[in-house]
Amino acid sequence: QETHSTQGRCDAVTLPEGCEAFWSHGTRSQAGVGILVKKSFLTHFDETRTLFDVVQDGRLAVLRLDGPKGSLDIWVVYLDAVSQADRMESIRMIAGDCRRPARALTVMAGDWNFVTASRDRCCSATGDWSGDRDAATQQLFADSLTSHFELHDWHQSFFTHQSALSR
């Protein structure tokens, strides 16, 4: 989902056979999201009602699929790594554009760039946990997305990022 893509880089890529790609570009150093989907999967939905909606360039996009078996929204999210205010604005944008559970099953994947618990991120040098510095973002996420749209977090017990600074 996180691509750091540009139009030129996407033009140069060779997709796996039988796949279709949907992109919203950023730059080589930040943003950019994409979804790679098997064409055989897309046949389960009405082609005339398939929409790739870019909600925020390079940050938020949703592939809306509707068909006789129901509706599915696949979101790709790449929130700002630096600005909490920008992350929170993006969350508000998702909430404003997300379909209710009665209208579509929603799956969201991405790099949220905030942690949901005080022991989700630790300093590599000291081993100290980062604490609750993302509490306001987490609360907004819970209030505007989790509760209203019946979203559930898929938990994983391993770290998704490791660097000299943190994991």
XYZ file of all heavy atoms in Angstrom, residues 2 12 20 33 43 49 54 75 77 80 85 119 124 128 142 150 164 167:
144
model
N 1.917 1.334 0.738
C 2.797 2.510 0.775
C 3.795 2.385 -0.359
O 4.525 1.405 -0.451
C 3.516 2.538 2.123
C 4.531 3.601 2.275
C 5.269 3.467 3.612
O 4.673 2.984 4.591
O 6.440 3.840 3.653
N 7.096 2.470 -15.479
C 8.221 1.565 -15.723
C 8.037 0.190 -15.083
O 8.780 -0.741 -15.402
C 9.512 2.199 -15.204
N -4.109 -5.821 -11.846
C -4.373 -4.431 -12.185
C -3.947 -3.567 -11.004
O -4.127 -3.957 -9.856
C -5.860 -4.221 -12.478
C -6.175 -2.835 -12.966
C -7.592 -2.714 -13.513
O -8.216 -3.744 -13.813
O -8.062 -1.569 -13.638
N 0.396 5.949 -2.530
C -0.285 4.717 -2.150
C -0.726 3.988 -3.405
O -0.885 4.581 -4.464
C -1.501 4.980 -1.232
C -1.070 5.511 0.122
C -2.502 5.924 -1.887
N -13.647 -9.514 -11.281
C -14.798 -10.001 -12.043
C -16.011 -10.292 -11.159
O -17.115 -10.457 -11.664
C -14.453 -11.271 -12.851
O -14.137 -12.336 -11.941
C -13.302 -11.018 -13.810
N -19.350 -0.071 -11.875
C -19.493 0.510 -10.540
C -18.211 0.379 -9.727
O -18.222 0.536 -8.518
C -20.657 -0.150 -9.817
C -21.994 0.136 -10.525
C -23.147 -0.595 -9.905
N -23.300 -0.256 -8.492
C -23.899 -1.049 -7.621
N -24.395 -2.213 -8.001
N -24.009 -0.685 -6.365
N -9.484 8.804 -5.045
C -8.372 9.416 -4.315
C -8.969 10.480 -3.407
O -9.486 11.489 -3.867
C -7.327 10.010 -5.278
C -6.232 10.710 -4.493
C -6.752 8.923 -6.174
N -9.368 0.430 1.444
C -8.672 1.704 1.669
C -7.179 1.463 1.759
O -6.729 0.476 2.347
C -9.120 2.323 2.991
C -10.449 2.997 2.955
C -11.667 2.410 3.080
C -10.675 4.393 2.801
N -12.643 3.368 3.011
C -12.065 4.586 2.843
C -9.836 5.499 2.634
C -12.648 5.848 2.726
C -10.410 6.741 2.517
C -11.804 6.914 2.562
N -3.888 3.708 3.146
C -3.663 4.873 4.000
C -2.173 5.022 4.258
O -1.498 4.055 4.600
C -4.410 4.693 5.347
C -4.148 5.852 6.281
C -5.899 4.488 5.120
N 0.762 11.118 7.446
C 1.987 11.906 7.582
C 2.826 11.387 8.747
O 2.310 11.139 9.835
C 1.614 13.379 7.792
C 2.803 14.283 7.673
O 3.553 14.412 8.678
O 3.004 14.871 6.598
N -1.152 16.937 13.509
C -2.315 17.673 12.987
C -2.704 17.161 11.602
O -3.895 16.981 11.317
C -2.021 19.169 12.943
N 2.836 0.914 24.679
C 3.957 -0.017 24.539
C 4.073 -0.568 23.118
O 4.543 -1.676 22.905
C 3.817 -1.140 25.550
C 3.878 -0.593 26.987
C 3.889 -1.682 27.967
N 5.203 -2.302 27.890
C 5.828 -2.853 28.897
N 5.273 -2.878 30.071
N 7.008 -3.401 28.737
N 15.338 2.111 20.226
C 16.316 1.034 20.025
C 17.509 1.155 20.957
O 18.042 0.153 21.435
C 16.792 1.027 18.568
O 15.747 0.688 17.703
N 13.389 2.003 26.043
C 12.254 2.675 26.676
C 11.086 2.756 25.703
O 11.267 2.993 24.505
C 12.634 4.104 27.107
C 13.664 4.116 28.223
O 13.713 3.132 28.993
O 14.407 5.109 28.310
N -10.395 6.212 17.293
C -11.424 5.398 17.958
C -12.797 6.058 17.858
O -13.793 5.401 17.535
C -11.045 5.172 19.415
N -17.578 0.313 12.909
C -17.401 -1.057 13.393
C -16.107 -1.686 12.882
O -16.077 -2.846 12.486
C -18.614 -1.914 13.018
C -19.920 -1.392 13.600
C -21.132 -2.189 13.164
O -20.992 -3.395 12.868
O -22.224 -1.601 13.124
N 17.633 2.240 13.464
C 18.609 2.543 14.504
C 17.957 3.333 15.649
O 18.457 3.315 16.771
C 19.768 3.351 13.919
N 11.816 0.740 17.155
C 11.137 -0.408 16.550
C 9.748 -0.487 17.124
O 9.433 0.061 18.160
C 11.899 -1.709 16.754
C 11.966 -2.180 18.174
C 12.698 -3.499 18.250
N 12.537 -3.988 19.606
C 12.548 -5.231 19.929
N 12.738 -6.141 19.022
N 12.389 -5.616 21.155
